[in-house]
Amino acid sequence: MTDAVSVLGSQHRSLARDVWHQFWRHKGALGGAAVFILIAVAVLFGSMTHGVDPQYLDYKAKNQGMSLAHPMGTDNLGRDMFARVLAGGRLSLAVGVAAMALSLSLGSGVGVLAGFFQRLDGPLMRLTDLFLALPVLPLLLVSIMLFRDPLRSVLGPEVGLFVLIVAVIGITSWMQTARIVRGEVLAVKQREFVLAARSVGTRPHRIIVRHVLPNALSPITVSATLGIAQAIITESALSFLGLGFPSDFPTWGRLLYDGVPFLGLTPARVVWPGLAISLTVLSINYMGDGLRDAMDPRMRRR
Amino acid sequence: MRLKPRLFILTLAAILSLVSAAAGERGSDGQLKMLYWQAPSILNPFLSGGTKDIHAASLVLEPLARYDEQGGMVPALVVEIPTVENGGVSTDFLSITWRLRDDVVWSDGSPFTAADVAFTAAYCMDPEGGCSAASRFQDVKAVEAVDSHTVRITFKVPMPFPYVPFVGSVSPVIQEKQFEACTGARAPACAEQNFGPVGTGPFKVTEFRPNDIVLYELNDRYRDPNQPAFSSVLLKGGGDAVSAARAVLKTGEFDYAWNLQVEPEILAAMATAGRGEVVSAFGSMVERLVVQLTNPDPALDDKRSTYQDGANPHPFLSDAAVRRALSMAIDREILVAAGYGPAGRVTCSVLPAPAVYASTVNDWCKIQDIAGANKLLDDAGWVRGRDDIRAKDGVRLSILYQTSTNSVRQGTQALIKQMWREIGVETELKNINASVFFGGDPSSPDTYQKFYADIQMYTNSFDGTDPQNYMQGWICDEIPGPENQWLGQNIPRYCDAAYDELARSLSKTAGTEQRAVIAREMNDRLVGHGALIPLVHRGEVAARALSLGGVRHNAWDATVWNIQEWHRLK
Amino acid sequence: MLRYAARRLLFSIPTLLVISFIVFALLDLAPNDPTAQLPLTIPPETRQAIRENLGLGQPFHVRYLRWLTQFMVHEPLNLAERMWGVEIGNSEERLRVRSWSTRAPVVDLIATRLPQTLTVVGVSYLVAVLLAVPVGVFSAYRQYSIFDHVGTFVTTVGFSVPTFFTGTVLIVVFSATLGWLPSIYDTTHQVTDFDSFVYQVRQMVMPVMVLGLYNAAQLSRFTRSAVLDNLNQEYVRTARAKGLTEPVVILVHVLRNSLIPVVTVIALGLPSTFAGAIITEQIFRINGVGQLLIGAIESADIPTVQTVTFIFAVLIVVFNLLADLLYGVLDPRIRYD
């Protein structure tokens, strides 16, 4: 979050400070940020205090409920669920944020260009149609066939797959953002202040950065918050199809999927990963709301 | 004295149950609802080969003889099973003569004759037809109708076990009248015939929606006037195994569900609802580890995972001590308990059934022996490094272990990874989508034939009860490689002249007992060498409602093989 | 406007051709194999014969052109024949796109699947829209009220919890424990009288709820943010200053303007009602188009996957066009020239 603001801040110091102030006065945003930071700290450093290997199988202690030794119980092979939720969170959050960032930058880039420059509109929107129409599953199969082994040998099994999965999710999910942003840009373009800026000869990239982007920010933040959740869920669907991370690298989506058949037996297996996903998405949502309000030029003036 | 009343009640119950079974009237029990989560897509088994399609077709189409739940052959459309003793099989094993029943008619009323059998053979042997049962006819020279109710099959080579074509629901008889315009390249275009074959079985198809439902009603021309008890059958497809089990065991919406490979504790928890029970039957399925005996190093490029006449050995799995230690370190009891429950048994043989073929020579593997495995590796010079992983001459014991995507298999992978960790072996797990892993796409690096890994795991089995073709899969000529488009069946790339010799003598030997001696020795060599590490003898699991009677769960033939005897318990 | 629409329509033909080529090529490259699902007892030679029988041995361009003519020429002709009952040319000889696993024409398979998909997925989409728009508008209007907080929470949970989870929970509660609703959708069920209608409703409740919640969650987020954007615009203040009543301001002025992005999202989501909701169809065994697609992918039934994805692509292109045209209708500031 700080990064996003400081990028803008390098150009307009006062704007950055304004946004910063607004954001921290926003109760929802504050709560959201607190929860998100809590989750992030927990998954990053929790394993230091908990100290159980998420891959260690204690077969005699399988399907256990919550206890002091296993705060979230164990799964059907006797793995500690708390350690797995923590480990899964690291991977899920990383995938979610990275894939969202990729899809958001692709989507808003294409959307802004298509909306602002009429000449690019046709080709870019046909490109969007093309990507929307691509069958995702076969695309995945092909890209995994082509790139899994090379990436694995260059970056190792975990990082290689991470890059591949983030790329695949990002490349197949930017289209909706692009369409929404384009629509918003089309509308903003006709507003008086943009017309005015144009008439005084402001360069297009300045108009985009100063006027169009801030006004298109609210659909972009909504896309971003939905995007993280979608990336986390898409990743779980990938594991389900055997295209995601190997089974010994848990993610939240995968833990949830694996836990569903055990719903009647050990409900803790679905409750915790489900809660983790929901809380994360919820907190990002509130932060997005706060950011949107803070960025809104009209609200800032008040 | 105290025993008597109980005995009396038991006898009474037995008599009553006999009476109720005998009094079963044709079509008196209403609709039977079956759930196949892998839905049937076509009802012509020759054009599919998928087990689900074969099961769905077996309600309609019948073979000449089928297997019962013990693996014994029982006549279906024939009077008796031909043998050398009764003159049905020639003494040189070059022909077999089947005598057909004369009281069988097709469901459209026309008589069932030897011409239909001969036609079916011609249909499946047509090289353009793409028949999935073609291997059953590969040694057949001719199938002729001697008279209207006698069929003689002649073979190109002596067949000590001649009960291959038309035995079991994989190769049933189809009607000549219906399919005569559908031979060869025209076979796939006959959608109407392929979706609604006319048969001799207890039911006939009334509606078929591919991959969704099949509706059957009873065949009123079926040869036994009292069967079947159900007037109609609904076979619903789709969904997943867990919810299929739930629909029978918990909600009671369905009477029967097939192929429930689900973690045992889930099935056990559902069964406590008291509506149904889980049944399993053991055939020849064995979940095994296949050991890569050639070098799968990507740097080798087109020589990767190829045999090269023994010049391309695996860096460490070519060491017999390592293979043996890997097998010793596995606690198979835990694998069974975690993934299979009543549907699995510990096995140390890739040929655990029928009973006569089962060998006990390698049963040392049934008990985990970590200390022994460690000692074996120590003696062989594999010493633990700083990271606790064993190495020798710069080669680390680091294994890439792949299998298809399936929650039970991933559980097994995790368990084995940890067991191997205890003997200083590092494991990287990889799972591959089943449609890629078991596919034969020569351009894909992830097929089980290419085996670009050190260890892989899957289940294999054989059709019927004779293991000859199955055991011949591990001869040197069957090693897959680029020169045969990776089509061989010898996945571990095992090559042993003595084994090849045994395979040759098996194909010449008659008599179950003598054949069993050879087959057992082949199994012992294969497992003793360590090319294959058997893990679990798997059963077929199904669930039946407690109100459904007559189910004799069968792993040697379609599980619905005796559906004409199924009935509602009152 | 009309000229714009015509130009776009014309433009979509090359787009679709490119898409058809990419879809075909992608699936051709994909490493699955139609014989992968067969038991391992079937030897490799037989598998090879089956593959050749399916036409896999032929070169790529031959297969692509054949599929293209079958789908673009033969199938529309068949459709025309069936609709008007006339015979055009020799229809017996006309080759059709056939599925590998069922050997039946793919278009016929889709036709048997469409009714259940359209009823279940269509109704759920309708429910989602009817639910999401009012909720979104009201929670924006009363931003940070209790209603807004509860709405935000419920929609976020609805969106972040995958359908395979909600579906299973509903089945466990309403079918397995309470026994109120059937867990398996009966595709052969026909509505003839009131009782059968009630049964149809009962078997639709759970899938519609699962899908509806999921879609409504997304839609209401977008509606809320769009309305919030407009509430702060000058024209709203002007309208209020003019003395217009709140309902008029909100329902006429704000709603009309905020619906522009929402309509895009709704229109873009519509093609998916035809393509089905893959996971939900699977869980409740609705066996519609989505289940056809996932089954075909699993069994590497390439012709079916190609045809279904291509039809899906056509729908996406058409609905994108519709969304763009709707933009023009709703927002007079956008001029198409």
Side-chain angles (χ1 to χ4, degrees):
Chain A
M1 202 97 324
T2 355
D3 286 350
V5 175
S6 63
V7 168
L8 282 172
S10 62
Q11 288 165 346
H12 326 281
R13 288 215 66 89
S14 62
L15 179 110
R17 211 176 308 131
D18 266 8
V19 168
W20 192 241
H21 274 284
Q22 282 291 335
F23 184 79
W24 288 118
R25 286 210 334 244
H26 192 287
K27 254 188 274 169
L30 213 59
V35 171
F36 186 78
I37 291 169
L38 197 76
I39 293 175
V41 167
V43 300
L44 284 177
F45 305 108
S47 53
M48 291 179 188
T49 55
H50 187 54
V52 175
D53 181 359
Q55 292 185 26
Y56 182 76
L57 302 147
D58 181 5
Y59 189 69
K60 288 183 196 77
K62 64 170 183 167
N63 293 328
Q64 283 191 351
M66 288 179 269
S67 67
L68 218 56
H70 304 290
M72 293 184 183
T74 57
D75 71 1
N76 63 315
L77 298 175
R79 285 177 289 209
D80 179 65
M81 278 305 288
F82 186 49
R84 284 172 76 72
V85 167
L86 291 179
R90 273 197 295 279
L91 213 47
S92 278
L93 282 185
V95 168
V97 172
M100 180 272 289
L102 181 62
S103 114
L104 206 64
S105 39
L106 274 175
S108 23
V110 170
V112 166
L113 289 180
F116 200 79
F117 301 104
Q118 187 139 36
R119 259 182 312 124
L120 292 178
D121 191 21
L124 280 179
M125 281 298 107
R126 298 299 77 74
L127 186 77
T128 312
D129 287 356
L130 198 139
F131 269 89
L132 272 173
L134 278 186
V136 179
L137 276 177
L139 178 80
L140 280 169
L141 283 172
V142 173
S143 52
I144 286 193
M145 177 185 83
L146 294 178
F147 304 119
R148 174 147 78 178
D149 274 355
L151 282 173
R152 186 174 155 261
S153 56
V154 177
L155 301 167
E158 203 177 352
V159 182
L161 260 180
F162 178 80
V163 170
L164 187 63
I165 286 169
V166 165
V168 162
I169 296 177
I171 286 169
T172 52
S173 65
W174 56 269
M175 293 80 71
Q176 194 146 346
T177 315
R179 291 215 41 120
I180 294 162
V181 169
R182 169 181 169 270
E184 200 69 18
V185 171
L186 278 181
V188 169
K189 206 168 73 171
Q190 305 293 334
R191 295 251 185 93
E192 292 75 9
F193 58 88
V194 177
L195 293 175
R198 268 186 161 178
S199 65
V200 297
T202 316
R203 301 272 288 278
H205 76 266
R206 278 194 75 79
I207 302 183
I208 292 176
V209 172
R210 293 205 64 157
H211 302 291
V212 177
L213 268 187
N215 279 287
L217 210 60
S218 79
I220 294 181
T221 47
V222 174
S223 290
T225 51
L226 293 180
I228 291 191
Q230 207 145 33
I232 292 176
I233 291 165
T234 311
E235 190 282 320
S236 75
L238 293 188
S239 324
F240 157 50
L241 292 163
L243 305 172
F245 292 96
S247 54
D248 42 352
F249 293 114
T251 61
W252 281 344
R254 181 168 186 111
L255 289 176
L256 186 60
Y257 180 78
D258 287 347
V260 165
F262 294 87
L263 199 61
L265 216 59
T266 41
R269 280 188 67 175
V270 290
V271 170
W272 294 112
L275 204 65
I277 297 179
S278 296
L279 268 182
T280 308
V281 176
L282 205 63
S283 64
I284 296 173
N285 228 328
Y286 274 107
M287 287 198 304
D289 264 7
L291 192 66
R292 197 186 58 90
D293 288 354
M295 294 274 217
D296 191 326
R298 286 172 303 272
M299 282 191 79
R300 212 167 52 232
R301 246 176 272 129
R302 277 194 310 215
Chain B
M1 276 316 272
R2 283 195 58 205
L3 269 174
K4 261 195 172 165
R6 203 193 282 172
L7 194 69
F8 173 73
I9 291 168
L10 278 177
T11 327
L12 194 68
I15 290 169
L16 279 177
S17 71
L18 271 178
V19 169
S20 73
E25 228 175 284
R26 170 177 279 185
S28 60
D29 287 354
Q31 191 176 53
L32 169 68
K33 294 173 98 175
M34 300 205 289
L35 197 53
Y36 271 52
W37 61 272
Q38 290 160 308
S41 47
I42 191 168
L43 295 180
N44 180 349
F46 293 124
L47 286 186
S48 158
T51 313
K52 61 201 171 65
D53 305 311
I54 289 167
H55 284 197
S58 74
L59 271 65
V60 175
L61 297 170
E62 293 179 293
L64 296 182
R66 47 167 78 99
Y67 294 103
D68 65 16
E69 71 271 34
Q70 313 294 338
M73 241 180 295
V74 288
L77 296 173
V78 291
V79 181
E80 59 177 358
I81 302 292
T83 57
V84 178
E85 289 75 42
N86 67 22
V89 176
S90 68
T91 47
D92 56 3
F93 297 107
L94 280 167
S95 80
I96 181 169
T97 308
W98 296 90
R99 285 202 295 122
L100 310 184
R101 289 173 69 131
D102 54 10
D103 57 347
V104 178
V105 285
W106 294 98
S107 61
D108 65 356
S110 53
F112 166 76
T113 67
D116 291 309
V117 182
F119 168 78
T120 306
Y123 177 90
C124 192
M125 287 161 75
D126 192 313
E128 280 182 51
C131 175
S132 65
S135 64
R136 298 222 148 201
F137 294 89
Q138 66 187 9
D139 294 321
V140 171
K141 193 155 98 192
V143 177
E144 318 144 276
V146 178
D147 61 47
S148 71
H149 283 83
T150 312
V151 179
R152 185 166 61 228
I153 303 172
T154 47
F155 299 104
K156 296 176 203 157
V157 290
M159 295 277 279
F161 185 86
Y163 312 105
V164 180
F166 302 114
V167 180
S169 37
V170 177
S171 59
V173 184
I174 55 175
Q175 194 191 25
E176 180 176 16
K177 191 172 110 191
Q178 192 188 19
F179 279 92
E180 61 191 344
C182 298
T183 52
R186 284 168 299 176
C190 290
E192 199 185 312
Q193 287 85 341
N194 296 334
F195 280 7
V198 171
T200 54
F203 292 96
K204 55 187 182 188
V205 182
T206 51
E207 190 180 351
F208 176 52
R209 296 190 191 174
N211 296 327
D212 181 12
I213 57 135
V214 196
L215 275 173
Y216 307 86
E217 66 176 11
L218 71 86
N219 170 11
D220 40 25
R221 294 196 172 90
Y222 187 64
R223 53 187 176 274
D224 186 326
N226 292 323
Q227 287 174 338
F230 288 102
S231 62
S232 63
V233 177
L234 167 74
L235 196 157
K236 171 87 180 172
D240 60 298
V242 177
S243 62
R246 188 184 296 120
V248 174
L249 298 174
K250 193 119 193 218
T251 67
E253 288 168 274
F254 276 74
D255 297 312
Y256 183 82
W258 174 74
N259 194 9
L260 306 175
Q261 210 203 358
V262 177
E263 280 83 355
E265 55 262 59
I266 299 177
L267 287 181
M270 286 177 181
T272 56
R275 286 181 187 267
E277 68 163 358
V278 178
V279 283
S280 49
F282 289 85
S284 56
M285 287 198 289
V286 175
E287 181 89 358
R288 80 279 307 274
L289 297 179
V290 181
V291 177
Q292 174 63 279
L293 297 173
T294 63
N295 194 347
D297 185 352
L300 289 173
D301 225 18
D302 59 340
K303 289 203 173 106
R304 191 179 184 191
S305 291
T306 57
Y307 182 57
Q308 310 289 337
D309 294 320
N312 189 27
H314 193 280
F316 54 86
L317 289 173
S318 49
D319 182 344
V322 175
R323 296 194 298 265
R324 179 125 183 166
L326 290 180
S327 181
M328 286 163 79
I330 298 171
D331 187 342
R332 291 166 173 78
E333 297 284 354
I334 284 185
L335 301 186
V336 169
Y340 300 89
R345 295 174 185 152
V346 168
T347 185
C348 293
S349 160
V350 286
L351 182 55
V356 56
Y357 296 105
S359 157
T360 51
V361 169
N362 291 303
D363 276 5
W364 49 266
C365 94
K366 284 192 174 170
I367 292 160
Q368 184 190 32
D369 183 5
I370 296 280
N374 270 322
K375 184 172 182 309
L376 203 60
L377 290 174
D378 286 339
D379 293 349
W382 297 94
V383 281
R384 289 181 192 255
R386 208 171 295 148
D387 55 356
D388 212 29
I389 303 302
R390 289 176 189 270
K392 180 163 99 176
D393 309 329
V395 179
R396 288 174 82 241
L397 291 185
S398 173
I399 288 175
L400 177 61
Y401 170 14
Q402 68 181 19
T403 187
S404 70
T405 305
N406 167 315
S407 73
V408 172
R409 289 214 166 109
Q410 265 75 79
T412 308
Q413 270 187 317
L415 287 164
I416 290 182
K417 177 179 177 168
Q418 181 159 321
M419 293 164 189
W420 284 347
R421 189 71 191 70
E422 288 180 47
I423 57 165
V425 174
E426 177 187 64
T427 314
E428 181 193 327
L429 304 183
K430 178 175 170 186
N431 58 322
I432 303 161
N433 193 323
S435 69
V436 177
F437 187 59
F438 294 117
D441 188 340
S443 66
S444 166
D446 285 334
T447 63
Y448 80 103
Q449 293 100 328
K450 282 209 179 152
F451 198 175
Y452 288 167
D454 304 306
I455 298 274
Q456 62 185 1
M457 174 172 76
Y458 55 85
T459 286
N460 202 350
S461 63
F462 53 93
D463 248 351
T465 55
D466 184 73
Q468 182 179 322
N469 283 337
Y470 174 68
M471 296 310 283
Q472 274 171 346
W474 291 287
I475 60 172
C476 301
D477 284 349
E478 283 285 340
I479 293 179
E483 62 285 347
N484 58 7
Q485 287 83 47
W486 304 91
L487 287 181
Q489 299 189 71
N490 187 349
I491 307 299
R493 286 94 168 122
Y494 167 78
C495 191
D496 174 5
Y499 188 88
D500 284 20
E501 187 50 45
L502 284 167
R504 265 190 295 280
S505 70
L506 180 63
S507 66
K508 290 183 194 131
T509 309
T512 314
E513 204 39 63
Q514 294 89 311
R515 289 171 70 76
V517 171
I518 301 172
R520 282 202 299 265
E521 199 183 334
M522 291 171 88
N523 168 70
D524 298 342
R525 288 195 79 85
L526 207 52
V527 177
H529 171 273
L532 297 174
I533 301 178
L535 299 175
V536 180
H537 182 196
R538 283 179 53 187
E540 271 204 43
V541 205
R544 74 167 179 96
L546 290 179
S547 66
L548 182 65
V551 178
R552 284 156 72 191
H553 197 46
N554 189 338
W556 301 107
D557 209 324
T559 54
V560 289
W561 68 291
N562 71 333
I563 197 159
Q564 69 276 8
E565 293 168 7
W566 291 16
H567 55 270
R568 187 72 64 201
L569 296 170
K570 299 289 167 349
Chain C
M1 181 81 181
L2 262 180
R3 265 190 58 195
Y4 173 80
R7 212 183 64 211
R8 277 290 304 270
L9 262 178
L10 219 69
F11 211 74
S12 56
I13 292 171
T15 314
L16 281 175
L17 273 177
V18 172
I19 291 177
S20 81
F21 181 80
I22 292 183
V23 165
F24 196 92
L26 209 57
L27 284 159
D28 204 70
L29 268 177
N32 15 7
D33 180 82
T35 62
Q37 280 205 327
L38 302 185
L40 289 182
T41 49
I42 294 179
E45 297 78 29
T46 311
R47 287 165 190 266
Q48 193 54 31
I50 293 173
R51 267 180 230 127
E52 272 159 27
N53 178 254
L54 295 172
L56 264 171
Q58 284 159 324
F60 174 78
H61 64 274
V62 175
R63 277 176 293 138
Y64 175 60
L65 289 178
R66 195 178 53 198
W67 175 77
L68 207 62
T69 43
Q70 281 170 352
F71 185 77
M72 298 284 206
V73 183
H74 295 178
E75 290 299 345
L77 281 177
N78 284 336
L79 199 70
E81 278 185 13
R82 212 173 310 165
M83 280 173 81
W84 294 298
V86 286
E87 180 115 348
I88 310 165
N90 188 354
S91 55
E92 285 294 309
E93 286 295 302
R94 211 175 283 145
L95 286 174
R96 306 186 65 187
V97 188
R98 276 178 190 279
S99 130
W100 282 346
S101 64
T102 71
R103 311 293 180 112
V106 176
V107 175
D108 294 359
L109 291 179
I110 297 172
T112 61
R113 298 303 183 102
L114 261 185
Q116 50 262 36
T117 294
L118 285 185
T119 38
V120 176
V121 189
V123 166
S124 74
Y125 203 66
L126 198 69
V127 167
V129 171
L130 290 180
L131 211 74
V133 174
V135 168
V137 170
F138 195 73
S139 45
Y141 183 60
R142 292 256 179 268
Q143 198 186 6
Y144 305 131
S145 66
I146 298 289
F147 182 88
D148 182 31
H149 284 299
V150 171
T152 305
F153 183 79
V154 170
T155 49
T156 312
V157 171
F159 180 78
S160 59
V161 176
T163 45
F164 66 74
F165 176 62
T166 35
T168 314
V169 169
L170 286 185
I171 288 182
V172 167
V173 173
F174 291 103
S175 299
T177 311
L178 297 172
W180 290 351
L181 300 167
S183 70
I184 291 166
Y185 189 91
D186 180 4
T187 46
T188 55
H189 181 72
Q190 306 232 323
V191 177
T192 47
D193 51 12
F194 184 71
D195 282 347
S196 61
F197 175 74
V198 169
Y199 184 80
Q200 177 67 18
V201 170
R202 281 181 56 219
Q203 70 172 354
M204 274 174 66
V205 168
M206 287 196 291
V208 165
M209 257 162 69
V210 167
L211 274 179
L213 182 69
Y214 185 73
N215 285 328
Q218 292 195 62
L219 281 177
S220 73
R221 293 310 297 162
F222 275 113
T223 315
R224 178 176 176 274
S225 103
V227 173
L228 269 182
D229 254 13
N230 277 282
L231 277 176
N232 297 320
Q233 303 274 4
E234 279 81 1
Y235 74 86
V236 180
R237 239 176 289 166
T238 318
R240 283 185 180 141
K242 276 199 319 197
L244 293 178
T245 57
E246 273 304 284
V248 175
V249 173
I250 300 297
L251 295 178
V252 178
H253 295 262
V254 174
L255 197 59
R256 185 187 156 122
N257 285 304
S258 13
L259 272 185
I260 297 167
V262 176
V263 162
T264 332
V265 178
I266 293 178
L268 288 178
L270 259 180
S272 62
T273 59
F274 292 93
I278 293 177
I279 292 175
T280 311
E281 285 193 0
Q282 180 104 356
I283 288 176
F284 295 99
R285 294 183 166 81
I286 297 169
N287 295 348
V289 181
Q291 196 265 352
L292 179 72
L293 181 64
I294 190 80
I297 290 173
E298 275 170 7
S299 58
D301 185 353
I302 306 294
T304 308
V305 184
Q306 279 160 345
T307 310
V308 174
T309 32
F310 186 63
I311 291 178
F312 191 37
V314 173
L315 288 173
I316 286 172
V317 170
V318 168
F319 276 90
N320 273 355
L321 179 60
L322 276 182
D324 278 353
L325 295 180
L326 267 177
Y327 249 84
V329 176
L330 287 169
D331 192 340
R333 285 169 309 184
I334 296 173
R335 275 169 294 133
Y336 294 113
D337 33 42

